[in-house]
Every structure is written in C-alpha cells, then in structure tokens.
Amino acid sequence: MGMPSNLFNTAFKQQRLGLMFSIILVILVYLGTLAMAAQAVLARTALTWGYDLQSRVTIEIPFVDDEDATQKQDKRERLLQLLRAMPQVDTVEPIDEAKTQGLLSQWIDDASLLQALPLPQLIDVTFKVGATLAPAELQRTLASHNRDLRVYGHADWMDKLLGFLTGLGVIATLMLFLTGFAVVTVISAICRAALAVQHDTIELLHFMGAPDHAIARQFQKHIQRLAFPAALIGFALAALTVAILVFLLSSLGGLSLIAPLSWVTLGSVTALIPLGAIGLSIITARQSLLRLLRRLG
Amino acid sequence: MLVSFEHVSLRYPCGRTVLNDINLALMPGLFYFLTGASGAGKSSLLRLIYQMEKPTEGRVTLFDRDTSQLYRHEYPALRRRLGIVFQDFRLVPHLSALENAALPLRLAGAERLDVEQHVTELLNWVGLGDRLHALPSELSGGEQQRVSIARAIVNKPRLLLADEPTGNVDDEASKKLMHLFLELNKMGTTVIFATHQKDLVQQYAKPVLRLKNGRLVSSMDEAA
Ligand SMILES: Nc1ncnc2c1ncn2[C@@H]1O[C@H](COP(=O)(O)OP(=O)(O)OP(=O)(O)O)[C@@H](O)[C@H]1O
Ligand SMILES: [Mg+2]
C-alpha cells in the first residue's frame, strides 16, 4: 500500500521533531557505544587479570650474605627441580638477575653499586588450569626445603582492582539499558507529538480506508530515514573518542594494562549499538504509533 | 441494500439531538439529493455513513453490514468503497493538488506513474490542469473543492458521499461538476448529494431526502 513519502513531513518539520530526534539519537548512540566499548574492554581485562592473578605466584629466595655464585645457583636449581616435580605446577621461570638489575638500573646509575646490591632471586610460577595453590599453602609446602622462602601472590591488591573493574562494568551495562530506555521514551514522545500535529491527516487517511499498519509503516519509514545517519554519526564520534583515548593511553604507556582486545572484536561488538538503536527506533515508532492509532478510535 | 438506517438517532456529546428516529433505505445505483436548512443535520447524516460518528440509537447498515458489529480491522476495506467530498475539503496542506487527488489510488497500491497520468486527466477535466502542483493554501475555495471532488471520485467508489460539493463554485462550474456526478452515477456509483441549493435540486428529477428538525421528511418523488 503506497503513500506519498512526505505525508508526515509537516509533523517532523513543524515541531522540529526530526531534528530533535536526530540529535538525541546521535547522543544516545555515542554514549551507548562508549559504554559498550568500556564494557567489552573491562570484561576482557577482568577475565585475563582474574585468571592471571589466581594462577601465578612469585617465589623469592632471600639474599644470603656469604653465599657465592655457585651456591646460589645450586639452591635455585634444587628449588626449580622441586617445583617442576609438583603436579599442580605448569611453568617455572627464574627471573634473570640481569633483568632484575636492568629494572633497577633506571634508578641506579652506578654499575658497580648495582652489582653489589643484595638482590633476592625471583622465580615466577604458574599453575595448571584448575590446580591453583594459594601462596600461603605453597610456602608451607616449601618450608621443609627452605624456611626462608617467601611466596607472593598478586591476589590481594588485584582483587580490589578487579572489584573496581567489575563495578565499572556494571555501571557501563546500566548505562546501556538507560540509553535504550531513553530511545524508547523519546520516540514514544515524538510519535505522540507527531500524531497531535497531524491528527487531521491521519483521520483523513482513516476515512479513505488506510489501515493502521500502513500509516504506521509510513511513519516508521520517516524514523528510519532519520535514524540511519544519526546512528552512524554517533558511532563515528564514539570511535573517534576511543581512538583518542587509546592514543593518550599509549603515549602514557598504560596501554599494556588493558587486556589485548582486537580492533575487529571491539568494532563488531560496539557496532551492535548503532544497529540496535536503529532497530529499537523502528520497532518503537511502529508499536507506539499502532497503539496511539488504536486509541484514536 | 446499500445503506439503511433503522430508527437512528444522533446526539453529539453535551449537545442536542441532531437526528431523530431516521429510517431510510438507499438502493444501489441511484442518485439522491440530501437537503435541509443549514444545521438540519445533513453533514451529520453523512458522517454516520462513513463511520465518523456512531448512532446514539438505532442501527446503520452499510454494504449489508451492521456497522455496530464491525471490528476495527474491517473499516478500511469498507471505507475504500466510499468516496467522500467533505464540506470543509480536508486536503492535506503540504501535498500538491495532484498528490492530494491521488491519495486514494496510492492507498489502493496503484503504480505511481499510472496514478499520475490518471489523476492529471481528472484534474484537467475539473479545470485544474494548470494548478496540478499548487498547494491547497495557494488555491481558491472553489479550486480546493474541485481537488477534493477529484480525490473522492478518482477510484470510482461504489458510494459517493458529496457534502455541498458545489457550494463554492459558480453556476457554470457547478453545472459541469453536476454533469460529472451524473456520469459517475451512470457508471454505477450511488451518489448522495447534500445541498441546500433548492434550485439545483429542482433542476434534476432525482429522489430527495429532506431533513427538518432532525427528522426525515422526504418525499422521494418530490422533485419528479
Ligand atoms: N461535532 C459536533 N458537536 C456538537 N454539535 C455538532 C457537531 N457537529 C455538528 N453539530 C451540530 O449539529 C447540527 C447539525 O450540524 P450539521 O453539520 O450536520 O448540519 P448541516 O445540515 O450539514 O448544515 P450546513 O448546511 O450548514 O452544512 C448543528 O446544529 C451543529 O451545530
Ligand atoms: Mg453540512
């Protein structure tokens, strides 16, 4: 059933309803896309970190004054063997003394002083999936071998950080829902306003035998024409914002904090927002118009 | 029976009774005049037919359907068989004369180009060939009325409800439009022509429905 495509122009122009709708949708898609991007990155980061910190401990062999290099090495080798024999342990990796010194060299210029520093030996241990040992437990187990060993987990402070991340994730999800709710509310309001402006036209269409669904479809097309560019602009702005954030973060060197999430994944996850906004707009426009028309009698 | 009223009364909310115990039965294919003084209820009677108003009492039957039993989704098909010339034209203000007159065909799903050609011919016929793309606000009352007539007859309705369709045009144009309605009637459209122009009614030997004080006082053969 055809109708002139400009049938509802008056409503959208006269009250600037079209412009208002477009601007609001741009903003909502922008916020929604950012929230979605944040949500995706946070979820991924929390997952990676959560796994990492549970399955990884660092063992410290304290520095002993009168030990020479071979003794030191013996001690380490025996511990390594012991660790590798444990069924829960996945990888065992001694951290190079040179690497530890390298880290410190940023603060200490004097090479001879660096050499003389009483540095502990460090060993990174990761556990097999599902076979994690708590740091205290591992320290107790190893105590029979060497009472001075210290086992550090990363869990304590990471737990707090993770809680924070989860909180942020919840907020982002909430924002998504609020955005969707706002889209529905705005469109319902616009439908009501448009219908009020064009009450006469709609009554006329009824008298000429236009069924409700045809009138609603025409209206829906109008919303659709407005929603596509608005959603695109909102999404583009959000992408630009993310790009700027990434640039700033990487120039601060903080990018490695964020778990690697490929651009493709991030892009396709966040693209759900403009698509969803368009879909939601169309469905809402159609449904609220049908409801209003039925009430019109 | 195309249209029948059985003991139909109409009272507008918080108003007086406009139509009182109306009984009528209209045969398909005839041309009826509907007359009465201004305010007698001519437009109200037509509104009962095209379902803008519901009777306060009594029963209105349209195309053999009791309209009180109709579901909402049944109205469109029924109304598409009607052509309505509204007393106040009811043109869509931002559509051109051509687009306005073409609405019923577009609603019926006709191809855009066919529609344009057909409607242009019709508008030519009613003397608006050079005003096709004018907006209603750019047309005189008589011109708007002719657009509204073109719109009402463009899809050859089975029943044409014309409310003072010649009220705003000169005698010459009035005659021409009358001719148009009579031609349409010859092709099978039943016409109800509401007017208070007594001379017009007298010129044609057609059945007359006369309203007075809310009642039908017609003598069907009055004009004969
Ligand atoms: N919507 C309405 N609400 C209340 N009263 C109305 C309404 N429409 C019409 N009336 C009243 O009903 C009566 C009949 O009106 P109607 O329009 O049917 O008369 P008419 O015969 O068409 O008159 P005219 O020749 O001037 O067009 C009038 O007294 C009018 O005031
Ligand atoms: Mg009237």
Side-chain angles (χ1 to χ4, degrees):
Chain A
M1 185 159 303
M3 270 190 221
S5 60
N6 55 350
L7 207 52
F8 288 114
N9 274 5
T10 312
F12 282 95
K13 273 192 199 137
Q14 216 176 60
Q15 305 286 308
R16 301 202 172 200
L17 289 180
L19 186 67
M20 193 178 80
F21 168 74
S22 299
I23 291 174
I24 290 175
L25 200 68
V26 167
I27 295 172
L28 290 177
V29 167
Y30 176 74
L31 294 178
T33 307
L34 284 187
M36 189 68 169
Q39 165 74 323
V41 170
L42 289 174
R44 183 61 189 265
T45 306
L47 205 72
T48 319
W49 284 4
Y51 176 72
D52 256 23
L53 67 92
Q54 268 179 28
S55 64
R56 183 187 298 272
V57 295
T58 303
I59 301 175
E60 178 189 315
I61 311 172
F63 179 82
V64 182
D65 259 343
D66 46 5
E67 254 177 1
D68 63 24
T70 25
Q71 278 173 313
K72 247 175 159 173
Q73 193 175 349
D74 272 2
K75 213 185 206 173
R76 190 175 65 216
E77 284 306 321
R78 261 179 290 133
L79 182 59
L80 288 178
Q81 267 169 23
L82 195 71
L83 285 169
R84 282 188 184 119
M86 290 175 73
Q88 298 95 332
V89 170
D90 186 22
T91 64
V92 177
E93 200 180 332
I95 298 177
D96 238 347
E97 202 155 324
K99 198 170 155 195
T100 319
Q101 283 175 353
L103 282 174
L104 290 175
S105 67
Q106 291 182 23
W107 291 280
I108 303 168
D109 289 333
D110 191 341
S112 56
L113 181 62
L114 208 55
Q115 287 290 328
L117 273 181
L119 291 177
Q121 302 188 76
L122 299 175
I123 299 171
D124 263 352
V125 176
T126 61
F127 298 109
K128 288 179 182 147
V129 179
T132 302
L133 277 179
E137 214 178 330
L138 183 62
Q139 188 166 323
R140 254 198 317 282
T141 315
L142 295 176
S144 54
H145 169 74
N146 180 344
R147 288 200 310 116
D148 296 331
L149 294 180
R150 290 279 166 274
V151 181
Y152 296 104
H154 306 222
D156 287 349
W157 68 275
M158 289 288 247
D159 252 357
K160 290 194 186 101
L161 199 64
L162 264 189
F164 178 64
L165 284 186
T166 313
L168 282 182
V170 170
I171 291 173
T173 311
L174 202 69
M175 262 181 74
L176 281 181
F177 275 106
L178 285 178
T179 315
F181 181 71
V183 168
V184 171
T185 312
V186 165
I187 292 176
S188 309
I190 284 178
C191 285
R192 218 165 304 133
L195 223 55
V197 172
Q198 299 215 285
H199 175 270
D200 289 350
T201 305
I202 286 173
E203 197 178 47
L204 177 75
L205 291 173
H206 272 154
F207 291 148
M208 290 196 303
D212 287 347
H213 65 82
I215 299 175
R217 169 142 32 85
Q218 195 58 38
F219 192 82
Q220 169 198 324
K221 274 188 196 160
H222 239 288
I223 289 282
Q224 198 171 315
R225 273 202 298 271
L226 294 171
F228 266 103
L232 205 69
I233 292 173
F235 184 69
L237 288 179
L240 194 70
T241 307
V242 169
I244 291 173
L245 280 179
V246 166
F247 173 75
L248 290 178
L249 261 179
S250 64
S251 69
L252 286 175
L255 203 57
S256 57
L257 277 178
I258 293 172
L261 190 65
S262 82
W263 287 109
V264 178
T265 314
L266 190 63
S268 37
V269 167
T270 49
L272 291 177
I273 295 298
L275 292 180
I278 292 171
L280 194 63
S281 304
I282 293 173
I283 293 171
T284 311
R286 185 177 177 75
Q287 290 310 318
S288 24
L289 207 75
L290 282 176
R291 205 177 50 240
L292 290 167
L293 285 174
R294 271 197 292 274
R295 214 178 296 161
L296 214 64
Chain B
M1 207 66 60
L2 207 66
V3 178
S4 79
F5 281 36
E6 293 167 58
H7 305 294
V8 169
S9 296
L10 175 67
R11 199 157 76 94
Y12 287 108
C14 51
R16 62 194 173 82
T17 301
V18 177
L19 295 173
N20 206 343
D21 195 28
I22 306 279
N23 290 284
L24 59 79
L26 305 185
M27 302 302 202
L30 295 190
F31 187 113
Y32 295 90
F33 280 115
L34 175 61
T35 66
S38 177
K42 302 181 292 294
S43 299
S44 302
L45 192 142
L46 295 180
R47 280 182 207 138
L48 283 169
I49 299 176
Y50 64 79
Q51 306 294 310
M52 180 176 173
E53 301 291 346
K54 299 220 172 299
T56 323
E57 275 166 64
R59 178 162 37 186
V60 174
T61 311
L62 179 61
F63 300 122
D64 296 319
R65 294 292 308 271
D66 179 351
T67 55
S68 65
Q69 306 290 318
L70 286 175
Y71 289 104
R72 187 181 168 75
H73 70 264
E74 293 178 298
Y75 282 113
L78 215 59
R79 280 170 165 159
R80 277 204 290 277
R81 294 195 244 165
L82 299 178
I84 311 169
V85 182
F86 298 94
Q87 191 169 6
D88 53 357
F89 319 141
R90 289 195 178 228
L91 301 178
V92 181
H94 62 281
L95 296 186
S96 69
L98 186 70
E99 287 172 315
N100 263 294
L103 264 180
L105 289 180
R106 295 294 302 278
L107 288 177
E111 286 297 325
R112 198 194 157 117
L113 281 178
D114 296 348
V115 169
E116 242 166 56
Q117 196 186 346
H118 186 69
V119 176
T120 306
E121 271 169 33
L122 187 58
L123 286 174
N124 262 325
W125 209 93
V126 296
L128 291 175
D130 53 345
R131 308 294 283 138
L132 295 179
H133 301 289
L135 292 176
S137 58
E138 299 160 351
L139 295 172
S140 76
E143 288 170 331
Q144 289 182 48
Q145 185 152 47
R146 280 177 279 162
V147 175
S148 120
I149 290 170
R151 182 183 65 190
I153 65 175
V154 73
N155 59 346
K156 303 203 177 62
R158 282 194 45 202
L159 175 60
L160 178 71
L161 307 173
D163 199 349
E164 306 275 2
T166 56
N168 294 274
V169 295
D170 58 53
D171 285 354
E172 188 72 14
S174 172
K175 273 208 188 86
K176 209 174 164 195
L177 289 175
M178 240 353 248
H179 180 71
L180 184 67
F181 291 128
L182 290 168
E183 282 301 310
L184 200 69
N185 177 238
K186 269 186 206 155
M187 292 193 295
T189 296
T190 309
V191 179
I192 305 178
F193 189 111
T195 179
H196 55 241
Q197 294 172 279
K198 286 205 180 99
D199 52 327
L200 196 71
V201 178
Q202 278 157 9
Q203 275 174 38
Y204 301 89
K206 297 291 178 189
V208 180
L209 309 162
R210 181 183 301 284
L211 284 171
K212 198 172 181 185
N213 298 328
R215 290 180 184 273
L216 202 59
V217 292
S218 74
S219 53
M220 298 288 269
D221 47 7
E222 175 173 321

